[in-house]
Amino acid sequence: MNPTETITPLQWADLATLAPELTLVIAAILLSLLDLFLPKRVNRDGLGVFSLVAVLISLGFVVWRMIDMSSGAETASTAQALHLLGQSYRVDDFANLLKIIFLGGTALIIFMSLGSIREEEIPHKGEYYYLLLPAVLGAMMMASSGDLITLYVGLELLSITSYVLVALKKNDLKSNESAFKYVVLGSISSAFILYGMSFLYGMSGSTDLATIAQMLSQHLDDFKVLIYVSFFLMLAGFGFKIAVAPFHVWAPDVYQGAPTPVTAFLAVVSKAAGFAILFRIVYNVFFPLASQEYLYISSDVMLTLLIVAAIAMVIGNTAALRQRNMKRLLALSGVANAGYLLVPIGLSMTPLHVSNFSEFAFYLIAYLFMNIGAFAVTMIVSRDAGHDEISGFAGLYYRAPFTAVGMTILLLSFAGIPLTGGFIGKLFIVLGAAQMKAYWIAAIMIITSVISLYYYFGIIRQMYMRSVGEMPSIRFPAPLGITVWICVAATIYLGVMPNTVLDVINKFFALSFDLFIRVGS
């Protein structure tokens, strides 16, 4: 925050603005108490239903707030953002749209867990259900942060609860090892982020993003080197959080060792939260550093992001070619997709190209449904086969034909085949890169997408062309199957009618009020 600014304390009326976050806080406290006092013999899936209802109520509050904010405005560009404690916590449609993604993804993950989690996978199911709430709360805080302090609190809330969630399989040595790696490397990445933030504070005397940008712009000649140091330190830290190469080495081990629903949460919600704050910091702190004399600073920042994106696409897709474990393969696929998601951030903004957030948000939504659906099918197969290897998918079409067809559609979307959300999302990003004349990154996107066809079609080949003899049909809980088909339906809808989603994003989102934070706004 800006030390010269008078901060108005929170009022009772502000609680309505914080209704989505307070809902999760209250629910988490109640669920932890219920889990503590309920007898051990009581099935904890009831707590899961409670947790799901809390997430849906929070989601309803976010949607209501977003509609209420835009109801008095003729267009998104005339809608006003709300902010609390100076600029520390902002409620704008950048944050609201991302909160919908976080909460929607968490709701699907909780729903697919009902009746699907085995005792040997998560011995204490109650803890799993109520720890997801503070984790998604941390993600929401990151999306709404307009201040480095609020950002870091949200980041650590998400990180610490994620460490515990990964370690829930406490009787599994592989899980213990992956949790230990995650804690150590996650702590190091947080230290990098904090160190980078300390440079921003030292150069500006403020933790408020708008004030930092203003002070750096006024003193570029004095701080050129330190600006680069700060950016690269934070990029290394956030690179870990979004699992982008070359900061991704933890992901395959952690994804494999964690319970599958937790892996889905890390792959979707945790990754999206990292992107949210990276988007906010890049465009509020480093993008404005574009004076006539020092235009190269902003250009270097954007070019660095594109280079990291290219490295992630190449390493993620090539490393996945030799994977035989499904969760490790999805981890490396996530590394490649992190590269695709990073491209709109690194493309910069000009009068000819202002759709960065729309491209990013659309592909993030498609990625959410592809990933959660794929992890739901992985749960179905691993429950039956007793392992997470790709060989467990052998003959799936003959044992669960509808599930195999659903997985095929999701894999085609991952690969970027037309009439799927993944194809449309990648197409929008490629067209944006072409608009900015960044043909090299568009070419890398296309080439690496072609490479990904090999390992995605390898799974399809297992499902349809490999037989393991006479085997009974696979049975699985209804919520798991419903989740698969919700994701499949959403993937097809995004591929066939993308404009309906883009129209919603463009209706509510405006660069001037929702992304760029101004001093005193």
Side-chain angles (χ1 to χ4, degrees):
M1 64 185 64
N2 188 346
T4 64
E5 182 180 2
T6 301
I7 303 299
T8 304
L10 285 175
Q11 307 295 323
W12 283 106
D14 295 330
L15 296 182
T17 304
L18 295 173
E21 291 81 359
L22 291 175
T23 300
L24 297 180
V25 171
I26 294 168
I29 294 171
L30 291 176
L31 281 169
S32 61
L33 293 174
L34 281 171
D35 185 49
L36 181 64
F37 291 108
L38 281 175
K40 289 185 178 180
R41 63 179 181 275
V42 174
N43 192 325
R44 260 47 181 184
D45 281 335
L47 298 182
V49 174
F50 193 137
S51 180
L52 177 60
V53 170
V55 170
L56 292 176
I57 291 173
S58 180
L59 177 60
F61 278 128
V62 173
V63 173
W64 172 78
R65 173 58 64 188
M66 190 165 66
I67 294 172
D68 182 65
M69 287 170 58
S70 64
S71 61
E74 295 180 2
T75 63
S77 61
T78 58
Q80 294 292 328
L82 304 175
H83 53 86
L84 306 173
L85 300 175
Q87 292 283 4
S88 296
Y89 201 81
R90 289 176 57 87
V91 180
D92 51 30
D93 287 324
F94 172 87
N96 287 334
L97 288 165
L98 288 167
K99 287 175 185 178
I100 290 172
I101 294 173
F102 300 156
L103 292 167
T106 304
L108 281 173
I109 291 167
I110 294 172
F111 181 67
M112 80 179 190
S113 303
L114 299 176
S116 305
I117 298 175
R118 290 177 171 174
E119 200 71 25
E120 59 268 23
E121 185 168 29
I122 300 180
H124 302 288
K125 290 195 288 185
E127 294 179 7
Y128 161 74
Y129 286 124
Y130 65 72
L131 282 172
L132 282 174
L133 300 184
V136 72
L137 174 63
M140 293 167 69
M141 290 179 64
M142 291 169 69
S144 280
S145 292
D147 187 278
L148 296 180
I149 296 174
T150 316
L151 184 163
Y152 196 75
V153 170
L155 174 69
E156 287 306 295
L157 180 58
L158 172 61
S159 298
I160 292 170
T161 48
S162 296
Y163 301 152
V164 179
L165 285 166
V166 169
L168 284 178
K169 293 169 66 175
K170 62 181 184 180
N171 298 322
D172 187 318
L173 291 179
K174 186 175 290 186
S175 178
N176 293 341
E177 179 186 348
S178 66
F180 180 74
K181 289 179 181 177
Y182 192 38
V183 170
V184 172
L185 294 176
S187 302
I188 294 171
S189 73
S190 294
F192 271 96
I193 293 170
L194 196 59
Y195 195 26
M197 288 178 178
S198 71
F199 279 101
L200 291 182
Y201 176 75
M203 289 184 284
S204 64
S206 174
T207 56
D208 175 68
L209 295 182
T211 305
I212 290 171
Q214 183 184 62
M215 295 300 293
L216 294 187
S217 297
Q218 294 172 359
H219 302 283
L220 277 177
D221 192 48
D222 300 322
F223 298 131
K224 291 196 298 291
V225 175
L226 292 181
I227 288 171
Y228 283 112
V229 171
S230 173
F231 170 71
F232 283 111
L233 284 170
M234 288 194 291
L235 178 62
F238 287 122
F240 174 92
K241 301 300 180 184
I242 62 177
V244 67
F247 313 104
H248 71 292
V249 291
W250 61 274
D253 288 340
V254 173
Y255 279 37
Q256 182 181 10
T260 304
V262 175
T263 304
F265 183 86
L266 296 178
V268 175
V269 180
S270 182
K271 186 188 293 281
F275 273 109
I277 200 59
L278 184 62
F279 213 123
R280 184 84 88 178
I281 285 181
V282 166
Y283 280 95
N284 280 281
V285 175
F286 297 104
F287 179 74
L289 306 180
S291 67
Q292 192 64 34
E293 187 179 357
Y294 299 107
L295 183 62
Y296 62 87
I297 295 179
S298 178
S299 299
D300 288 348
V301 166
M302 299 304 175
L303 179 60
T304 301
L305 293 175
L306 290 181
I307 291 172
V308 172
I311 293 171
M313 287 183 256
V314 172
I315 291 179
N317 281 306
T318 53
L321 293 174
R322 55 189 177 85
Q323 283 301 324
R324 295 294 175 263
N325 181 279
M326 188 62 187
K327 289 168 75 173
R328 294 181 73 88
L329 185 147
L330 288 174
L332 292 167
S333 169
V335 172
N337 279 283
Y340 300 139
L341 287 164
L342 200 55
V343 171
I345 304 178
L347 284 178
S348 189
M349 289 183 183
T350 68
L352 295 177
H353 181 249
V354 294
S355 59
N356 306 56
F357 180 74
S358 299
E359 296 164 9
F360 165 78
F362 185 91
Y363 192 68
L364 182 59
I365 293 169
Y367 175 77
L368 179 151
F369 287 113
M370 292 186 297
N371 248 284
I372 293 178
F375 277 111
V377 176
T378 301
M379 284 184 69
I380 292 171
V381 172
S382 62
R383 281 169 59 92
D384 179 74
H387 57 77
D388 298 321
E389 301 301 308
I390 294 176
S391 59
F393 285 80
L396 182 63
Y397 176 74
Y398 305 100
R399 296 181 288 148
F402 291 108
T403 302
V405 169
M407 185 62 168
T408 302
I409 294 170
L410 295 170
L411 291 171
L412 293 177
S413 184
F414 270 116
I417 302 300
L419 299 181
T420 62
F423 169 76
I424 298 296
K426 288 180 181 178
L427 179 63
F428 285 153
I429 296 173
V430 168
L431 292 176
Q435 274 187 308
M436 294 295 294
K437 295 184 173 16
Y439 300 117
W440 66 276
I441 196 68
I444 291 174
M445 283 189 68
I446 294 169
I447 293 169
T448 53
S449 293
V450 172
I451 292 172
S452 71
L453 291 172
Y454 178 83
Y455 59 85
Y456 290 133
F457 275 88
I459 302 169
I460 295 174
R461 186 172 63 248
Q462 286 283 343
M463 293 191 293
Y464 292 92
M465 300 179 186
R466 295 287 185 271
S467 178
V468 288
E470 291 292 329
M471 292 190 68
S473 299
I474 298 178
R475 297 184 178 276
F476 47 85
L480 206 50
I482 293 170
T483 301
V484 172
W485 281 99
I486 288 174
C487 294
V488 170
T491 298
I492 295 172
Y493 182 83
L494 289 170
V496 176
M497 302 186 69
N499 285 339
T500 56
V501 178
L502 284 171
D503 288 344
V504 171
I505 295 171
N506 293 328
K507 176 183 176 182
F508 290 101
F509 178 76
L511 288 173
S512 55
F513 291 105
D514 296 322
L515 181 58
F516 294 116
I517 304 173
R518 295 168 295 180
V519 177
S521 65

